[in-house]
Amino acid sequence: MVSDITPFHFRGYDFFVKRDEQIHPHLSGNKYYKLYTLLNTPAESYQTMISYGGNQSNAMLAIAHLCQHKGWAFEYICKPLPQHLKGKPTGNLKAALNLNMQLIECSDYDAKIQSLQSNGKTLVIPQGGADPLAQAGITQLGNEITQWQTKQNIDRLNIVTPSGTGTTAFYLAQALPKCRIITTALVGDNTYLKQQMQQLGSIPSNLTLLESSKKYRFAKPYPEFLQTYEELKHAGIEFDLIYAPLMWQTLLDNMQHIQGTILYVHSGGLTGNATMLERYSS
Ligand SMILES: *Cc1c(COP(=O)(O)O)cnc(C)c1O
C-alpha cells in the first residue's frame, strides 16, 4: 500500500504532503512504517508483544491493531490511569482495548519497564516503537519518496516530519542522504532529541533540527495549536493536534532558510484528535 503525495497550498507557500494518514485508521503515519517489519513477519514467529508508554499513545493503538491482525497477545504497561479514564476509556485507549489489548497499570512503572526483556516468542517494543526494528520500514518510506522524486524530476528536496522519539526522522535521513530532513522536537527540547537519536547511531549531517520559538509541554492543549490545526484543515488536510501544529509553525518561521521543494510527511495520529478536541472545549 503506497499512499498518495498531493500538492498543498498553505499560508502563501506551495508544499507537497505524503498522505500517510490514509493508510489505515488504526495503523497510519510513521507507525505503519515503524511496524512494517513486524507486519511482514510470519504470525507463528511470536505469541506476545509487550510495550509501554502513555495511555492515549498512537503507537499503542498501532501495535494493538498489528497484534489483532496477527493473532498475537498484546500487553501494554502504563502508569495508573487518571480517575476520568477509569471504567470509561476514550479515544485511542478505548479503541486499543476493543482490539483486545491487555492494559497493565503499574504504580512502580519505571522499575517495571526496566525489568522487561524479550525472550522466545515474546517481544518487547520500546515506547513509541523507538527501535532498530523500525529501520527497514522507514527505509521503505524513503524508497517511496525517492520514486516520487525521480518521477517528478525534483532536484532539491526537503522532507519535513515532526519528532517524538526521533526514530522516523533519524532513519529517514539515513535512507535519503541526498535529501535534507527537517524536524522539530515535540518531547523535550532539541538537546534531548539529539540524545534520543544518538542511541540509534551518529546523527546524519543531512538532518536539521529546527528550534521552536517557544517552549511547549508535550500533549498539552495550546490555543495556537488549535488555530494552526483549524487553518490546516481549512486548507484541505487534517493533521494531528499533538505533533503537527508545532512542526508547521516552526517550518513557517524558517521558510527563508529553506531552498527547493518541501515535502511534508504526514505522521498520522488522527484518531487522537477527538479526545484532544474535547480537552480544548472543556
Ligand atoms: C509517533 C508520532 C510521531 C513521532 O514519531 P517518532 O518516530 O517517535 O519521532 C509524530 N507524529 C505522530 C502523529 C505520531 O503518532
Side-chain angles (χ1 to χ4, degrees):
M1 151 99 208
V2 177
S3 62
D4 291 338
I5 293 179
T6 56
F8 184 57
H9 193 71
F10 189 59
R11 292 205 194 151
Y13 296 103
D14 287 312
F15 302 96
F16 290 92
V17 177
K18 187 166 187 296
R19 307 299 301 277
D20 290 345
E21 85 279 20
Q22 296 179 341
I23 293 172
H24 185 279
H26 291 153
L27 182 55
S28 70
N30 59 40
K31 304 303 178 290
Y32 170 77
Y33 292 99
K34 284 179 170 185
L35 298 173
Y36 192 83
T37 300
L38 288 172
L39 264 170
N40 292 293
T41 296
E44 57 272 21
S45 305
Y46 295 106
Q47 270 164 1
T48 304
M49 297 286 137
I50 300 176
S51 193
Y52 50 88
N55 61 46
Q56 289 292 357
S57 151
N58 293 326
M60 170 190 75
L61 179 55
I63 299 167
H65 176 84
L66 166 77
C67 289
Q68 165 92 354
H69 178 71
K70 291 286 183 183
W72 297 332
F74 178 34
E75 297 172 8
Y76 189 76
I77 296 151
C78 68
K79 293 177 183 169
L81 290 181
Q83 212 49 46
H84 72 273
L85 282 176
K86 284 228 187 263
K88 194 180 140 293
T90 58
N92 285 352
L93 179 60
K94 185 178 179 181
L97 290 168
N98 285 339
L99 293 167
N100 286 330
M101 177 180 80
Q102 190 195 345
L103 188 70
I104 302 169
E105 294 172 65
C106 272
S107 43
D108 58 345
Y109 175 83
D110 290 332
K112 177 77 180 170
I113 61 173
Q114 287 294 323
S115 74
L116 295 174
Q117 265 184 337
S118 299
N119 64 65
K121 293 199 167 186
T122 299
L123 183 71
V124 176
I125 305 176
Q127 178 163 16
D131 196 88
L133 199 66
Q135 185 172 16
I138 302 294
T139 302
Q140 166 64 22
L141 168 61
N143 292 342
E144 292 173 18
I145 292 171
T146 302
Q147 274 175 24
W148 170 81
Q149 183 186 359
T150 307
K151 215 164 150 195
Q152 300 276 319
N153 212 359
I154 294 167
D155 183 31
R156 199 162 182 179
L157 183 61
N158 303 278
I159 301 166
V160 179
T161 204
S163 279
T165 65
T167 312
T168 305
F170 179 91
Y171 286 130
L172 207 46
Q174 273 198 343
L176 301 174
K178 291 190 184 128
C179 298
R180 183 175 173 203
I181 313 300
I182 298 172
T183 191
T184 198
L186 267 293
V187 180
D189 58 10
N190 279 351
T191 309
Y192 177 74
L193 178 60
K194 274 188 195 154
Q195 287 168 0
Q196 293 298 106
M197 288 176 167
Q198 271 156 358
Q199 299 190 5
L200 301 171
S202 62
I203 298 178
S205 59
N206 59 327
L207 179 55
T208 301
L209 274 57
L210 296 180
E211 200 71 64
S212 62
S213 50
K214 198 184 133 184
K215 294 254 169 290
Y216 294 95
R217 287 199 49 201
F218 183 64
K220 290 252 168 200
Y222 293 95
E224 59 266 46
F225 283 10
L226 183 62
Q227 200 199 323
T228 301
Y229 162 84
E230 280 171 347
E231 241 184 277
L232 287 162
K233 197 173 171 184
H234 189 73
I237 301 181
E238 184 177 10
F239 288 87
D240 85 284
L241 267 158
I242 291 180
Y243 295 88
L246 186 63
M247 184 73 255
W248 278 106
Q249 282 168 215
T250 310
L251 174 63
L252 288 158
D253 286 345
N254 284 278
M255 286 301 282
Q256 73 277 17
H257 306 303
I258 302 171
Q259 271 96 45
T261 303
I262 301 179
L263 171 67
Y264 187 105
V265 177
H266 198 307
S267 52
L270 300 187
T271 52
N273 283 352
T275 45
M276 280 306 286
L277 286 169
E278 258 169 46
R279 290 173 68 189
Y280 276 103
S281 64
S282 64

